[in-house]
């Protein structure tokens, strides 16, 4: 069990979109370039997101996509479910026929409850994380990256004293 590319790309694209809210519609070609996701793949994903009323589209020049509701009202579970991403750790797809394809003759495996409980925990967790949460995490990450100072060594020996003075705040 793992989240496929479809789910990962959908969440990534939605974070990109949400980061740009308030600046007009966001084009899929822009998301495609920034996130290195195929434009045709994004078109498929956003068609599903639009049908689930997570995004809305604006046609024509200056058109693109925007969130259909606030980022704090969209959960990761909403996005994953909208793009038909299966969140199922059971072997049977929740049909409880783990030992046979025919539901009437198939029986549950001994670990069915374990995996069914994991499914419920995954959905609960993904339903607790909003797009707003992910946007805020991304903004904090970008802020930390901007605050990093890179120091370089100066090779010539005559610059050593001047370098120490600059580093120690002495002019």
């Amino acid at each position: 069990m793992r989240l496929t590319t479809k789910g990962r790309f959908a969440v990534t694209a939605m974070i990109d979109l949400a980061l740009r809210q308030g600046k007009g519609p966001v084009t899929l070609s822009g998301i495609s370039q920034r996130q290195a996701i195929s434009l045709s793949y994004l078109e498929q994903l956003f068609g599903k997101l639009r049908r689930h009323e997570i995004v809305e589209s604006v046609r024509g020049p200056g058109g693109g996509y925007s969130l259909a509701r606030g980022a704090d009202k969209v959960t990761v579970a909403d996005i994953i479910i909208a793009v038909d991403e299966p969140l199922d750790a059971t072997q049977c797809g929740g049909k409880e026929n783990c030992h046979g394809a025919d539901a009437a003759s198939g029986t549950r495996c001994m670990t069915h409850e374990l995996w069914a409980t994991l499914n419920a925990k995954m959905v609960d967790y993904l339903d607790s994380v909003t797009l707003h949460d992910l946007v805020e995490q991304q903004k904090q990450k970008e802020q930390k990256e901007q605050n990093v100072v890179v120091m370089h060594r100066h090779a010539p020996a005559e610059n050593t004293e001047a370098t120490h003075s600059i580093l120690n705040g002495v002019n």
Side-chain angles (χ1 to χ4, degrees):
M1 176 213 54
R2 63 189 167 103
L3 192 61
T4 67
T5 303
K6 186 186 339 180
R8 292 178 192 278
F9 283 174
V11 173
T12 299
M14 288 298 294
I15 295 169
D16 187 291
L17 177 70
L19 280 166
R20 288 161 179 75
Q21 286 303 284
K23 299 175 186 172
V26 178
T27 64
L28 292 185
S29 62
I31 295 173
S32 173
Q33 291 172 353
R34 286 186 296 274
Q35 304 306 325
I37 302 171
S38 158
L39 180 58
S40 61
Y41 201 60
L42 283 173
E43 289 168 346
Q44 293 173 27
L45 294 175
F46 273 72
K48 292 177 180 186
L49 292 165
R50 188 175 45 77
R51 285 189 290 281
H52 279 83
E53 299 178 348
I54 295 175
V55 298
E56 52 192 14
S57 62
V58 177
R59 295 181 180 261
Y65 285 87
S66 58
L67 294 176
R69 55 187 189 248
D72 60 332
K73 304 289 187 216
V74 177
T75 69
V76 174
D78 293 335
I79 297 167
I80 298 295
I81 291 166
V83 298
D84 300 324
E85 181 68 51
L87 289 174
D88 189 8
T90 64
Q91 193 173 11
C92 62
K95 296 176 185 162
E96 299 188 16
N97 61 346
C98 309
H99 291 295
D102 180 22
S105 66
T107 59
R108 290 170 38 165
C109 64
M110 292 188 296
T111 58
H112 183 86
E113 287 303 316
L114 171 70
W115 305 126
T117 302
L118 177 60
N119 289 347
K121 300 275 186 201
M122 283 190 308
V123 172
D124 286 347
Y125 173 69
L126 295 176
D127 208 30
S128 74
V129 179
T130 67
L131 192 53
H132 178 264
D133 297 334
L134 298 176
V135 166
E136 289 304 311
Q137 285 176 4
Q138 187 62 33
K139 286 179 180 178
Q140 288 175 5
K141 179 182 167 192
E142 289 172 1
Q143 185 65 36
K144 285 180 185 177
E145 289 172 358
Q146 289 176 357
N147 290 336
V148 173
V149 176
V150 178
M151 306 261 314
H152 297 281
R153 289 187 180 191
H154 295 281
E158 61 270 6
N159 286 341
T160 304
E161 189 173 320
T163 302
H164 286 292
S165 296
I166 291 170
L167 291 175
N168 295 320
V170 180
N171 289 329

